[in-house]
Amino acid sequence: MDNMARLSSSQCTKVFLQRDFTEGTGVRFQNKFPQELEGKIDRAILERTINTVNSIYLEAESLSGRTYCESCFACMTAYIAYLCMDTHYEKCLKKVARYIEEQNKTVFVQQGLMLVDPAERGLRVFEICILTEQQNR
Amino acid sequence: MMARQTGIFYLTCTLIIVTSGLFFGFDCVYLAQHVTPAIPAIGGALFIFVMATLFRTSFSDPGVIPRASLDEAAELERQMEVPNAGSPGTYRPPPRTKEVVIKGQVVKLKYCFTCKLFRPPRASHCSLCDNCVDRFDHHCPWVGNCVGKRNYRYFYLFILSLSVHCIYIFACVLTNLILRAQQDNFLTAMKESPASVIEAIVCFFSVWSIVGLAGFHSYLVASELTTNEDIKGSFTARRGADSFNPYSKGSIFKNCSQVLCGPVPPSLLDRRGYVVPDSSQAHHVSGPETQKERESNSVNVRHEYYGSTTVTNQKTGNMGTNTAPDLPPPAVVTTADEMLPAGENVKKREMISYQTPDGTINNKLPPLNGRSNNHAAIHGTNPGSVYPQPYRHSDYLSGTSVLPAVKGNKSTMSRGCSTDF
């Protein structure tokens, strides 16, 4: 699956969903349905996926009591605690990765699409590959 | 640690370590006997905290935004070229900006020609480190790194603890001299412990700037501003009556807790990833040891030299980086897989596009790049393409990047915190 994330554009068409900054600098992707995907996938399914991913990022970046305690605890242990455990943000990024992988397996690859985890693209874009026939496994 | 010139960082370390060393070696001996042994204990704790935050600031990723992949860059350029199709003969489109409304405030997003992406709000490109940095505060030469989203709190703790440490040493040194002077006169006291005099001088001159800086950054933290925004006056009232800071949470306490205790995204760079040159296009494969999702980046990638671009095809056996700065013709190291484009010989392109940290673009051409792998950028001249697509990754080892030899570069040195205030 790792190699699939490295498809070059000669092998498949790529569609990019850019970041949505209307709520601030937090990580959030635009939910507008790209034209190239018309007919390939149901609009509602893609919107649901993007909304779920956006909500996980929102949770990652929220300043809750848990984040606060985690930061203070890590500071007090001179940040050695970060060697032992993942931060809340990292846990959320892993959650996004698992969710996207699961969505790819169950929904998208069957329709001839593949979602790429935004963390693979530096949280700049949400990439959707339109697979050609030989890649549909 | 991404600054190319690391000398000032060594100066910072030396000043702190030498002054503290003199303090522990000379003043503490006297003061521990005559006043209390808590003095060296507190001094020691402060010193450790200062050095820890200094190293944490210097050696952590400030929040670098990895450069756009080839496909993303191509897509963006395709979107940008279409409106410019009607201007033949010029390779210079106007700098692109996008406007975004954040909580009612209009914010302009600039296109970064180096990183091939539209910068998120509050991000800025640091020409010294040659990267776009998220929530860019400033490039601090004293710390040898940019200060951005991921390391701002450590920077703030560093200057705060350093000002406390400075004042503490100064106070202890004065106590030492005064106690000694009670037995003799002041001049004899100074002769008896000359180290105290040295420390007093160093602390006296540094305390003004450091305490001033700490105060300034306390104001910035409380109002959720970056140094960059404050200098540019992005959100001050004089720009228009309805200009406000859309990132502020409203109260000082909330702003402070957001900046100092908020969640920190993990680094988006993969410093340990190996690069496998792809035969058709350059793509990065994460090294097997990456457990977290990261944009692959090779530590072997050399910076592109901005002064001119040449096409060479030398095989590189080592995985090292080119540490030679400012060589006049720059050797661009590639693997033997890559061939020179047919018919193209070594050509020199004098024109480069250079983007200053505040986004203005010098009117020069961006460097051309026919194809690239991750060891370097191979430059070819391709008259057909208006927008070449360099696909470069920064070299994140300190001191191994090439300083862009552009005359506009000097003006950006003033971004360092030493000369800003």
mmCIF file of all heavy atoms in Angstrom, chain B residues 101-136:
data_model
loop_
_atom_site.group_PDB
_atom_site.id
_atom_site.type_symbol
_atom_site.label_atom_id
_atom_site.label_comp_id
_atom_site.label_asym_id
_atom_site.label_seq_id
_atom_site.Cartn_x
_atom_site.Cartn_y
_atom_site.Cartn_z
ATOM 1 N N VAL B 101 -10.872 34.612 3.333
ATOM 2 C CA VAL B 101 -11.479 35.377 4.422
ATOM 3 C C VAL B 101 -11.466 34.504 5.670
ATOM 4 O O VAL B 101 -12.089 33.438 5.700
ATOM 5 C CB VAL B 101 -12.929 35.771 4.074
ATOM 6 C CG1 VAL B 101 -13.568 36.515 5.234
ATOM 7 C CG2 VAL B 101 -12.933 36.622 2.834
ATOM 8 N N ILE B 102 -10.727 34.944 6.652
ATOM 9 C CA ILE B 102 -10.640 34.175 7.894
ATOM 10 C C ILE B 102 -11.371 34.953 8.970
ATOM 11 O O ILE B 102 -10.927 36.027 9.386
ATOM 12 C CB ILE B 102 -9.169 33.977 8.314
ATOM 13 C CG1 ILE B 102 -8.433 33.224 7.224
ATOM 14 C CG2 ILE B 102 -9.079 33.222 9.618
ATOM 15 C CD1 ILE B 102 -6.986 33.017 7.527
ATOM 16 N N LYS B 103 -12.482 34.402 9.386
ATOM 17 C CA LYS B 103 -13.264 35.013 10.467
ATOM 18 C C LYS B 103 -13.525 36.485 10.191
ATOM 19 O O LYS B 103 -13.414 37.330 11.075
ATOM 20 C CB LYS B 103 -12.533 34.866 11.806
ATOM 21 C CG LYS B 103 -12.363 33.427 12.185
ATOM 22 C CD LYS B 103 -11.914 33.253 13.623
ATOM 23 C CE LYS B 103 -11.847 31.768 13.925
ATOM 24 N NZ LYS B 103 -10.841 31.390 14.844
ATOM 25 N N GLY B 104 -13.794 36.793 8.957
ATOM 26 C CA GLY B 104 -14.157 38.154 8.610
ATOM 27 C C GLY B 104 -12.991 39.028 8.200
ATOM 28 O O GLY B 104 -13.187 40.154 7.747
ATOM 29 N N GLN B 105 -11.785 38.556 8.342
ATOM 30 C CA GLN B 105 -10.625 39.354 7.974
ATOM 31 C C GLN B 105 -10.056 38.818 6.676
ATOM 32 O O GLN B 105 -9.853 37.621 6.522
ATOM 33 C CB GLN B 105 -9.576 39.260 9.097
ATOM 34 C CG GLN B 105 -8.271 39.933 8.823
ATOM 35 C CD GLN B 105 -8.357 41.439 9.002
ATOM 36 O OE1 GLN B 105 -9.377 41.966 9.402
ATOM 37 N NE2 GLN B 105 -7.286 42.123 8.709
ATOM 38 N N VAL B 106 -9.767 39.706 5.740
ATOM 39 C CA VAL B 106 -9.243 39.266 4.450
ATOM 40 C C VAL B 106 -7.744 39.057 4.578
ATOM 41 O O VAL B 106 -7.011 39.944 5.020
ATOM 42 C CB VAL B 106 -9.517 40.329 3.358
ATOM 43 C CG1 VAL B 106 -8.876 39.901 2.062
ATOM 44 C CG2 VAL B 106 -11.004 40.500 3.176
ATOM 45 N N VAL B 107 -7.304 37.878 4.201
ATOM 46 C CA VAL B 107 -5.882 37.552 4.296
ATOM 47 C C VAL B 107 -5.405 37.112 2.918
ATOM 48 O O VAL B 107 -6.085 36.345 2.245
ATOM 49 C CB VAL B 107 -5.658 36.413 5.320
ATOM 50 C CG1 VAL B 107 -4.235 35.935 5.288
ATOM 51 C CG2 VAL B 107 -6.033 36.864 6.713
ATOM 52 N N LYS B 108 -4.249 37.606 2.527
ATOM 53 C CA LYS B 108 -3.722 37.234 1.205
ATOM 54 C C LYS B 108 -2.755 36.075 1.352
ATOM 55 O O LYS B 108 -1.846 36.107 2.179
ATOM 56 C CB LYS B 108 -2.939 38.415 0.625
ATOM 57 C CG LYS B 108 -3.769 39.408 -0.107
ATOM 58 C CD LYS B 108 -2.917 40.170 -1.134
ATOM 59 C CE LYS B 108 -3.830 41.097 -1.915
ATOM 60 N NZ LYS B 108 -3.498 42.489 -1.804
ATOM 61 N N LEU B 109 -2.933 35.058 0.532
ATOM 62 C CA LEU B 109 -1.992 33.952 0.515
ATOM 63 C C LEU B 109 -1.086 34.114 -0.688
ATOM 64 O O LEU B 109 -1.555 34.281 -1.798
ATOM 65 C CB LEU B 109 -2.725 32.616 0.402
ATOM 66 C CG LEU B 109 -3.787 32.322 1.449
ATOM 67 C CD1 LEU B 109 -4.300 30.906 1.254
ATOM 68 C CD2 LEU B 109 -3.233 32.483 2.841
ATOM 69 N N LYS B 110 0.203 34.063 -0.455
ATOM 70 C CA LYS B 110 1.129 34.275 -1.556
ATOM 71 C C LYS B 110 1.621 32.937 -2.094
ATOM 72 O O LYS B 110 1.712 31.959 -1.373
ATOM 73 C CB LYS B 110 2.320 35.084 -1.070
ATOM 74 C CG LYS B 110 1.927 36.451 -0.586
ATOM 75 C CD LYS B 110 3.116 37.386 -0.566
ATOM 76 C CE LYS B 110 2.679 38.784 -0.221
ATOM 77 N NZ LYS B 110 3.040 39.170 1.123
ATOM 78 N N TYR B 111 1.974 32.963 -3.360
ATOM 79 C CA TYR B 111 2.530 31.765 -3.973
ATOM 80 C C TYR B 111 4.034 31.771 -3.793
ATOM 81 O O TYR B 111 4.691 32.759 -4.091
ATOM 82 C CB TYR B 111 2.177 31.736 -5.458
ATOM 83 C CG TYR B 111 2.692 30.521 -6.182
ATOM 84 C CD1 TYR B 111 2.106 29.283 -5.978
ATOM 85 C CD2 TYR B 111 3.762 30.607 -7.060
ATOM 86 C CE1 TYR B 111 2.562 28.164 -6.635
ATOM 87 C CE2 TYR B 111 4.219 29.489 -7.716
ATOM 88 C CZ TYR B 111 3.619 28.264 -7.501
ATOM 89 O OH TYR B 111 4.080 27.163 -8.153
ATOM 90 N N CYS B 112 4.553 30.670 -3.303
ATOM 91 C CA CYS B 112 6.000 30.597 -3.098
ATOM 92 C C CYS B 112 6.625 29.916 -4.304
ATOM 93 O O CYS B 112 6.328 28.759 -4.596
ATOM 94 C CB CYS B 112 6.325 29.810 -1.842
ATOM 95 S SG CYS B 112 8.077 29.722 -1.511
ATOM 96 N N PHE B 113 7.483 30.639 -5.010
ATOM 97 C CA PHE B 113 8.075 30.071 -6.218
ATOM 98 C C PHE B 113 9.110 29.013 -5.907
ATOM 99 O O PHE B 113 9.405 28.171 -6.735
ATOM 100 C CB PHE B 113 8.721 31.191 -7.053
ATOM 101 C CG PHE B 113 7.716 31.996 -7.806
ATOM 102 C CD1 PHE B 113 7.163 33.133 -7.261
ATOM 103 C CD2 PHE B 113 7.300 31.593 -9.056
ATOM 104 C CE1 PHE B 113 6.216 33.863 -7.951
ATOM 105 C CE2 PHE B 113 6.354 32.317 -9.755
ATOM 106 C CZ PHE B 113 5.816 33.457 -9.193
ATOM 107 N N THR B 114 9.667 29.085 -4.726
ATOM 108 C CA THR B 114 10.668 28.077 -4.397
ATOM 109 C C THR B 114 10.011 26.763 -4.026
ATOM 110 O O THR B 114 10.420 25.698 -4.462
ATOM 111 C CB THR B 114 11.521 28.551 -3.210
ATOM 112 O OG1 THR B 114 11.910 29.885 -3.426
ATOM 113 C CG2 THR B 114 12.734 27.676 -3.035
ATOM 114 N N CYS B 115 9.003 26.864 -3.189
ATOM 115 C CA CYS B 115 8.386 25.655 -2.670
ATOM 116 C C CYS B 115 7.188 25.217 -3.510
ATOM 117 O O CYS B 115 6.632 24.150 -3.263
ATOM 118 C CB CYS B 115 7.932 25.873 -1.228
ATOM 119 S SG CYS B 115 9.253 26.424 -0.162
ATOM 120 N N LYS B 116 6.813 26.029 -4.458
ATOM 121 C CA LYS B 116 5.757 25.670 -5.394
ATOM 122 C C LYS B 116 4.434 25.406 -4.707
ATOM 123 O O LYS B 116 3.753 24.415 -4.970
ATOM 124 C CB LYS B 116 6.154 24.418 -6.200
ATOM 125 C CG LYS B 116 7.366 24.618 -7.060
ATOM 126 C CD LYS B 116 6.962 25.371 -8.269
ATOM 127 C CE LYS B 116 8.128 25.747 -9.122
ATOM 128 N NZ LYS B 116 7.733 26.687 -10.159
ATOM 129 N N LEU B 117 4.086 26.276 -3.800
ATOM 130 C CA LEU B 117 2.798 26.109 -3.145
ATOM 131 C C LEU B 117 2.298 27.475 -2.703
ATOM 132 O O LEU B 117 3.059 28.438 -2.627
ATOM 133 C CB LEU B 117 2.933 25.171 -1.935
ATOM 134 C CG LEU B 117 4.070 25.399 -0.944
ATOM 135 C CD1 LEU B 117 3.745 26.439 0.091
ATOM 136 C CD2 LEU B 117 4.391 24.093 -0.230
ATOM 137 N N PHE B 118 1.006 27.534 -2.463
ATOM 138 C CA PHE B 118 0.461 28.729 -1.853
ATOM 139 C C PHE B 118 0.657 28.604 -0.352
ATOM 140 O O PHE B 118 0.224 27.640 0.265
ATOM 141 C CB PHE B 118 -1.039 28.856 -2.173
ATOM 142 C CG PHE B 118 -1.300 29.484 -3.503
ATOM 143 C CD1 PHE B 118 -1.525 28.699 -4.615
ATOM 144 C CD2 PHE B 118 -1.309 30.859 -3.646
ATOM 145 C CE1 PHE B 118 -1.753 29.278 -5.858
ATOM 146 C CE2 PHE B 118 -1.547 31.446 -4.875
ATOM 147 C CZ PHE B 118 -1.759 30.648 -5.987
ATOM 148 N N ARG B 119 1.315 29.583 0.190
ATOM 149 C CA ARG B 119 1.653 29.490 1.603
ATOM 150 C C ARG B 119 0.411 29.597 2.464
ATOM 151 O O ARG B 119 -0.408 30.480 2.259
ATOM 152 C CB ARG B 119 2.591 30.621 2.003
ATOM 153 C CG ARG B 119 3.967 30.414 1.515
ATOM 154 C CD ARG B 119 4.858 31.463 2.112
ATOM 155 N NE ARG B 119 5.810 31.852 1.117
ATOM 156 C CZ ARG B 119 6.002 33.075 0.684
ATOM 157 N NH1 ARG B 119 5.330 34.068 1.203
ATOM 158 N NH2 ARG B 119 6.877 33.310 -0.253
ATOM 159 N N PRO B 120 0.283 28.754 3.461
ATOM 160 C CA PRO B 120 -0.822 28.925 4.399
ATOM 161 C C PRO B 120 -0.712 30.281 5.078
ATOM 162 O O PRO B 120 0.368 30.876 5.099
ATOM 163 C CB PRO B 120 -0.607 27.792 5.415
ATOM 164 C CG PRO B 120 0.321 26.848 4.779
ATOM 165 C CD PRO B 120 1.122 27.611 3.781
ATOM 166 N N PRO B 121 -1.806 30.762 5.651
ATOM 167 C CA PRO B 121 -1.694 32.033 6.365
ATOM 168 C C PRO B 121 -0.686 31.906 7.498
ATOM 169 O O PRO B 121 -0.536 30.849 8.097
ATOM 170 C CB PRO B 121 -3.104 32.276 6.924
ATOM 171 C CG PRO B 121 -3.922 31.146 6.519
ATOM 172 C CD PRO B 121 -3.168 30.251 5.619
ATOM 173 N N ARG B 122 0.009 32.968 7.760
ATOM 174 C CA ARG B 122 1.041 33.064 8.782
ATOM 175 C C ARG B 122 2.330 32.326 8.425
ATOM 176 O O ARG B 122 3.292 32.404 9.175
ATOM 177 C CB ARG B 122 0.570 32.541 10.150
ATOM 178 C CG ARG B 122 -0.745 33.089 10.586
ATOM 179 C CD ARG B 122 -1.021 32.748 12.004
ATOM 180 N NE ARG B 122 -0.642 33.860 12.847
ATOM 181 C CZ ARG B 122 -0.790 33.891 14.162
ATOM 182 N NH1 ARG B 122 -1.282 32.856 14.775
ATOM 183 N NH2 ARG B 122 -0.436 34.944 14.851
ATOM 184 N N ALA B 123 2.325 31.617 7.337
ATOM 185 C CA ALA B 123 3.580 30.984 6.936
ATOM 186 C C ALA B 123 4.388 31.988 6.132
ATOM 187 O O ALA B 123 3.847 32.897 5.522
ATOM 188 C CB ALA B 123 3.303 29.744 6.100
ATOM 189 N N SER B 124 5.685 31.801 6.147
ATOM 190 C CA SER B 124 6.539 32.685 5.379
ATOM 191 C C SER B 124 7.757 31.903 4.945
ATOM 192 O O SER B 124 8.118 30.901 5.553
ATOM 193 C CB SER B 124 6.943 33.884 6.240
ATOM 194 O OG SER B 124 7.611 34.831 5.446
ATOM 195 N N HIS B 125 8.356 32.369 3.882
ATOM 196 C CA HIS B 125 9.533 31.674 3.373
ATOM 197 C C HIS B 125 10.765 32.333 3.951
ATOM 198 O O HIS B 125 10.944 33.533 3.849
ATOM 199 C CB HIS B 125 9.565 31.753 1.839
ATOM 200 C CG HIS B 125 10.628 30.915 1.236
ATOM 201 N ND1 HIS B 125 10.398 29.616 0.833
ATOM 202 C CD2 HIS B 125 11.925 31.159 0.974
ATOM 203 C CE1 HIS B 125 11.520 29.115 0.341
ATOM 204 N NE2 HIS B 125 12.455 30.027 0.412
ATOM 205 N N CYS B 126 11.619 31.537 4.569
ATOM 206 C CA CYS B 126 12.856 32.080 5.109
ATOM 207 C C CYS B 126 13.955 31.864 4.095
ATOM 208 O O CYS B 126 14.272 30.733 3.746
ATOM 209 C CB CYS B 126 13.220 31.371 6.409
ATOM 210 S SG CYS B 126 14.815 31.889 7.046
ATOM 211 N N SER B 127 14.538 32.935 3.632
ATOM 212 C CA SER B 127 15.552 32.783 2.601
ATOM 213 C C SER B 127 16.848 32.231 3.171
ATOM 214 O O SER B 127 17.621 31.615 2.463
ATOM 215 C CB SER B 127 15.819 34.119 1.933
ATOM 216 O OG SER B 127 16.226 35.039 2.905
ATOM 217 N N LEU B 128 17.056 32.416 4.462
ATOM 218 C CA LEU B 128 18.295 31.901 5.031
ATOM 219 C C LEU B 128 18.253 30.392 5.142
ATOM 220 O O LEU B 128 19.240 29.704 4.945
ATOM 221 C CB LEU B 128 18.535 32.529 6.407
ATOM 222 C CG LEU B 128 18.809 34.020 6.354
ATOM 223 C CD1 LEU B 128 18.691 34.634 7.727
ATOM 224 C CD2 LEU B 128 20.176 34.282 5.775
ATOM 225 N N CYS B 129 17.087 29.883 5.509
ATOM 226 C CA CYS B 129 16.946 28.435 5.597
ATOM 227 C C CYS B 129 16.395 27.860 4.292
ATOM 228 O O CYS B 129 16.365 26.643 4.136
ATOM 229 C CB CYS B 129 15.997 28.044 6.729
ATOM 230 S SG CYS B 129 16.464 28.707 8.312
ATOM 231 N N ASP B 130 15.895 28.715 3.438
ATOM 232 C CA ASP B 130 15.314 28.312 2.164
ATOM 233 C C ASP B 130 14.162 27.327 2.328
ATOM 234 O O ASP B 130 14.095 26.296 1.661
ATOM 235 C CB ASP B 130 16.395 27.702 1.257
ATOM 236 C CG ASP B 130 15.944 27.688 -0.189
ATOM 237 O OD1 ASP B 130 15.161 28.578 -0.563
ATOM 238 O OD2 ASP B 130 16.345 26.780 -0.936
ATOM 239 N N ASN B 131 13.281 27.658 3.234
ATOM 240 C CA ASN B 131 12.094 26.833 3.424
ATOM 241 C C ASN B 131 10.934 27.728 3.779
ATOM 242 O O ASN B 131 11.116 28.786 4.360
ATOM 243 C CB ASN B 131 12.260 25.881 4.617
ATOM 244 C CG ASN B 131 13.246 24.800 4.339
ATOM 245 O OD1 ASN B 131 13.155 24.138 3.321
ATOM 246 N ND2 ASN B 131 14.182 24.624 5.236
ATOM 247 N N CYS B 132 9.737 27.258 3.471
ATOM 248 C CA CYS B 132 8.563 27.910 4.021
ATOM 249 C C CYS B 132 8.353 27.351 5.422
ATOM 250 O O CYS B 132 8.434 26.146 5.644
ATOM 251 C CB CYS B 132 7.325 27.619 3.165
ATOM 252 S SG CYS B 132 7.147 28.723 1.763
ATOM 253 N N VAL B 133 8.098 28.224 6.362
ATOM 254 C CA VAL B 133 7.934 27.819 7.749
ATOM 255 C C VAL B 133 6.546 28.248 8.200
ATOM 256 O O VAL B 133 6.126 29.385 7.971
ATOM 257 C CB VAL B 133 9.016 28.484 8.637
ATOM 258 C CG1 VAL B 133 8.780 28.157 10.084
ATOM 259 C CG2 VAL B 133 10.389 28.025 8.209
ATOM 260 N N ASP B 134 5.859 27.328 8.826
ATOM 261 C CA ASP B 134 4.511 27.601 9.299
ATOM 262 C C ASP B 134 4.546 28.502 10.528
ATOM 263 O O ASP B 134 5.378 28.299 11.421
ATOM 264 C CB ASP B 134 3.853 26.260 9.654
ATOM 265 C CG ASP B 134 2.363 26.306 9.444
ATOM 266 O OD1 ASP B 134 1.849 27.385 9.088
ATOM 267 O OD2 ASP B 134 1.711 25.275 9.644
ATOM 268 N N ARG B 135 3.654 29.451 10.592
ATOM 269 C CA ARG B 135 3.625 30.436 11.665
ATOM 270 C C ARG B 135 5.021 31.039 11.881
ATOM 271 O O ARG B 135 5.554 31.015 12.983
ATOM 272 C CB ARG B 135 3.079 29.839 12.961
ATOM 273 C CG ARG B 135 2.576 30.914 13.929
ATOM 274 C CD ARG B 135 2.208 30.314 15.284
ATOM 275 N NE ARG B 135 1.661 31.307 16.185
ATOM 276 C CZ ARG B 135 2.385 32.162 16.909
ATOM 277 N NH1 ARG B 135 3.695 32.152 16.820
ATOM 278 N NH2 ARG B 135 1.810 33.035 17.706
ATOM 279 N N PHE B 136 5.545 31.561 10.810
ATOM 280 C CA PHE B 136 6.919 32.041 10.830
ATOM 281 C C PHE B 136 7.045 33.249 11.740
ATOM 282 O O PHE B 136 6.362 34.246 11.558
ATOM 283 C CB PHE B 136 7.332 32.409 9.407
ATOM 284 C CG PHE B 136 8.709 32.961 9.287
ATOM 285 C CD1 PHE B 136 9.808 32.132 9.349
ATOM 286 C CD2 PHE B 136 8.916 34.309 9.101
ATOM 287 C CE1 PHE B 136 11.086 32.629 9.223
ATOM 288 C CE2 PHE B 136 10.197 34.815 8.970
ATOM 289 C CZ PHE B 136 11.278 33.972 9.027
#
